[in-house]
Amino acid sequence: MSESAYDYVIVGGGTAGCVLAARLTEDPDCRVCVIEGGPSDVGDENVLRLRNWINLLETEYDYGYTTTEQPRGNSHIVHSRARVLGGCSSHNTLISFLPFPEDLDEWVAKGCAGWDPVTILPYRHRLKNHIVPVGEEDQNPIARDFVTAAAEALGVPVIEDFNRAPFPEGAGFFSLAYDPATNKRSSASVAYLHPVMDRPNLTLKLLTWAYRLEPDPAGRLTRVAVRYEDGSTGTVHAERELLLCAGAVDTPRLLLHSGVGPADELRALGIDVRADLPGVGENLLDHPESVIVWETREPLPPNSAMDSDAGLFVRRDPGRPRPDLMFHFYQVPFTVNTERLGYPAVPHGVCMTPNVPRARSTGRMWLRSADPAVHPALDFRYFTDPEGHDERTLVDGLRMAREVAATAPLRDWLFREVAPGLNLVTDQELSDYGRRAAHTVYHPAGTCRMGAADDPWAVVDPELRLRGLEGVRVVDASVFPTLPSVNPMVTVLLAAERAADLLTGRPGPEPDGSER
């Protein structure tokens, strides 16, 4: 086995890992190694062309984690996790929202000092990604008519730029991290790493799989056991700190295989316990959503950024500042789940996907085996919250979607509702359908949550340091104590920029007065 040493070793060349690699190597004397299980995205048009995102799912670019049986949801969901440089920012739709200030207030209330909106939101000015509303030439006419109909039917404003200021509700085209002229991604790898890949102090170990963390002679957990593309193995040593950026599935998986997690469960698998941290793998969060499908009267115009370019936010509780229901509007018939339920495919159509922004059902992940090659178990426990909040959100969303579809000018495009079909009208019928047709928008989070010293379920402290062991920090969506109400990629970018400052001692950006 070979061993190489660097100042920092980043496990996971994804959204957060790319930010950290770029920021830390700004110091020419700081040696940084990025370990990434997938290939490079440089020059790979399959990855770089944003509109091709759906063709990356369940391919060689995808680890393809499955879910356990979901008694109240869909048990057939594949949770795509990206296997490519840039991580999920090279794999997803790049919908880019700043978190709401109240989302960050919730983190502070859960013991995450230093993660308040006044501290975190100014980091948006440091982001290198090119984030803009969907370009005018990409605005499909049916998506424009969806926005108009949603505003008319539900009495919400049309929003030109969702990132201009916090909003309680509204309809509009999303902001995306992309170049409208070329449809090329402005992913974390494109924005942060591609311009600096020739830095002599940056080493990328691609197609390299990290499967266990090991201690150094001083007992600090700073060594990573890896397997290279040719099957050989080795270790990579961080002389300062090891930074886990492998995401909400693979970061806790790596910790568990390294003996960090719930002690009794680890011992039952024959894994030696290094630190009894019961929160590793707990608090598994997601944004579940269902789907309602219409066949259109004719094929749609071909222009689009990524076929889900517009959306809608609704605030059902007018006493609260944030929306509590979201919709993506798909300009393609997304029928992977409805066909399984017996509904027909259609040659051309559209969908609305009612989404639960702050789901109250939480799950957990755990190891099935001591063999790191065996996928862990993911149990999201969809729609199990005792108050029925998540289920109610879907039912309300399906009803509102029908209101929008019945409103001009969108209604003039639509031929018939394919799924669930107008014969399903009661709350129970819509709930049964909505939960069985539910899907994910690939936002797992929370499995190594951040918290205060007296929180027994916290895995890292507010400076992202692993509790109970020295030498490790976690920087990815697994540290989120609660899931932001919106698509979380930008929140991961902000967290990584903040982490870079925590590591280097650089002061954060000054507040600019627009955090509320």
Side-chain angles (χ1 to χ4, degrees):
M1 292 179 64
S2 62
E3 176 161 309
S4 50
Y6 306 85
D7 293 304
Y8 293 98
V9 174
I10 298 169
V11 180
T15 306
C18 289
V19 175
L20 286 173
R23 290 305 187 193
L24 294 174
T25 55
E26 290 174 348
D27 176 358
D29 296 324
C30 181
R31 301 162 301 147
V32 174
C33 176
V34 178
I35 299 170
E36 166 56 43
S40 175
D41 65 326
V42 175
D44 189 339
E45 290 296 311
N46 288 323
V47 172
L48 296 178
R49 191 168 66 87
L50 175 58
R51 200 173 181 184
N52 193 52
W53 71 272
I54 200 165
N55 295 317
L56 302 177
L57 304 179
E58 300 183 52
T59 68
E60 68 272 16
Y61 299 104
D62 185 356
Y63 287 110
Y65 293 113
T66 56
T67 55
T68 63
E69 185 72 20
Q70 299 293 296
R72 289 187 53 76
N74 179 3
S75 302
H76 303 275
I77 296 173
V78 176
H79 269 268
S80 295
R81 298 284 85 202
R83 182 183 169 271
V84 63
L85 190 65
C88 289
S89 72
S90 289
H91 204 269
N92 62 15
T93 57
L94 288 176
I95 296 172
S96 299
F97 286 105
L98 289 166
F100 292 119
E102 294 81 11
D103 292 334
L104 298 170
D105 288 338
E106 286 183 354
W107 290 15
V108 175
K110 289 184 173 293
C112 303
W115 293 85
D116 54 277
V118 173
T119 301
I120 300 303
L121 290 178
Y123 277 99
R124 68 187 182 273
H125 302 301
R126 289 191 183 171
L127 297 183
K128 292 180 174 289
N129 313 76
H130 184 244
I131 297 174
V132 292
V134 167
E136 185 172 350
E137 291 186 358
D138 286 333
Q139 294 184 12
N140 193 291
I142 195 170
R144 289 179 177 172
D145 286 351
F146 159 77
V147 171
T148 301
E152 174 67 23
L154 302 177
V156 301
V158 173
I159 296 181
E160 300 297 330
D161 182 350
F162 282 106
N163 288 320
R164 187 171 297 158
F167 55 91
E169 53 195 356
F173 283 89
F174 295 134
S175 288
L176 309 179
Y178 88 126
D179 179 358
T182 63
N183 196 245
K184 294 297 177 65
R185 291 178 177 272
S186 182
S187 62
S189 50
V190 169
Y192 282 87
L193 274 194
H194 288 195
V196 304
M197 292 181 83
D198 59 349
R199 284 179 178 168
N201 56 334
L202 173 63
T203 299
L204 299 180
K205 292 183 180 288
L206 301 174
L207 297 168
T208 300
W209 183 53
Y211 60 90
R212 190 171 59 250
L213 310 181
E214 298 174 346
D216 61 20
R220 301 172 77 242
L221 203 61
T222 55
R223 282 194 166 109
V224 188
V226 299
R227 187 178 69 224
Y228 298 106
E229 182 182 11
D230 63 5
S232 64
T233 59
T235 59
V236 186
H237 179 212
E239 294 181 347
R240 295 189 192 175
E241 290 189 61
L242 180 64
L243 309 175
L244 300 185
C245 304
V249 175
D250 282 309
T251 286
R253 177 193 64 80
L254 191 55
L255 288 172
L256 292 167
H257 280 293
S258 307
V260 181
D264 290 344
E265 292 186 19
L266 296 176
R267 290 191 187 102
L269 291 173
I271 298 174
D272 292 335
V273 177
R274 297 192 189 281
D276 182 8
L277 281 182
V280 176
E282 297 291 335
N283 194 46
L284 178 59
L285 309 172
D286 194 19
H287 285 145
E289 69 177 25
S290 195
V291 64
I292 181 168
V293 183
W294 290 268
E295 183 178 3
T296 53
R297 297 185 183 279
E298 57 188 25
L300 304 184
N303 59 311
S304 180
M306 51 75 184
D307 297 311
S308 178
D309 300 332
L312 164 67
F313 289 86
V314 177
R315 180 176 55 167
R316 294 175 299 165
D317 183 349
R320 306 213 177 245
R322 291 173 291 177
D324 55 11
L325 176 59
M326 177 191 181
F327 298 78
H328 299 79
F329 180 72
Y330 281 83
Q331 295 130 236
V332 291
F334 183 68
T335 57
V336 63
N337 291 319
T338 57
E339 287 182 54
R340 183 177 45 78
L341 298 177
Y343 292 96
V346 294
H348 36 78
V350 295
C351 309
M352 293 184 217
T353 56
N355 178 286
V356 188
R358 291 183 299 283
R360 297 179 186 175
S361 304
T362 60
R364 64 185 300 262
M365 63 153 288
W366 65 91
L367 298 184
R368 301 178 190 266
S369 167
D371 180 356
V374 176
H375 280 186
L378 302 179
D379 181 4
F380 285 86
R381 297 176 181 164
Y382 290 124
F383 309 109
T384 60
D385 61 296
E387 303 86 5
H389 166 271
D390 299 355
E391 178 182 4
R392 181 77 247 171
T393 302
L394 283 197
V395 171
D396 289 349
L398 292 170
R399 293 193 186 284
M400 289 183 190
R402 284 174 169 171
E403 291 182 48
V404 175
T407 302
L410 179 60
R411 71 182 177 208
D412 299 328
W413 292 84
L414 306 180
F415 174 58
R416 62 174 177 139
E417 182 184 307
V418 176
L422 294 176
N423 58 312
L424 299 187
V425 295
T426 69
D427 283 358
Q428 190 59 55
E429 288 171 338
L430 292 176
S431 171
D432 289 344
Y433 162 82
R435 289 182 288 108
R436 289 190 300 142
H439 202 63
T440 177
V441 273
Y442 310 109
H443 297 163
T447 46
C448 295
R449 83 180 196 204
M450 174 172 42
D454 60 354
D455 180 353
W457 295 99
V459 176
V460 298
D461 69 12
E463 294 195 357
L464 306 177
R465 298 171 297 198
L466 185 66
R467 292 174 61 172
L469 289 166
E470 294 186 358
V472 182
R473 295 196 205 214
V474 178
V475 189
D476 57 33
S478 68
V479 305
F480 293 0
T482 59
L483 190 54
S485 305
V486 290
N487 306 54
M489 184 190 71
V490 171
T491 307
V492 174
L493 294 169
L494 298 174
E497 288 277 11
R498 168 71 169 154
D501 285 354
L502 293 174
L503 288 161
T504 63
R506 181 177 66 170
E510 289 294 322
D512 61 6
S514 63
E515 290 77 35
R516 291 290 179 183

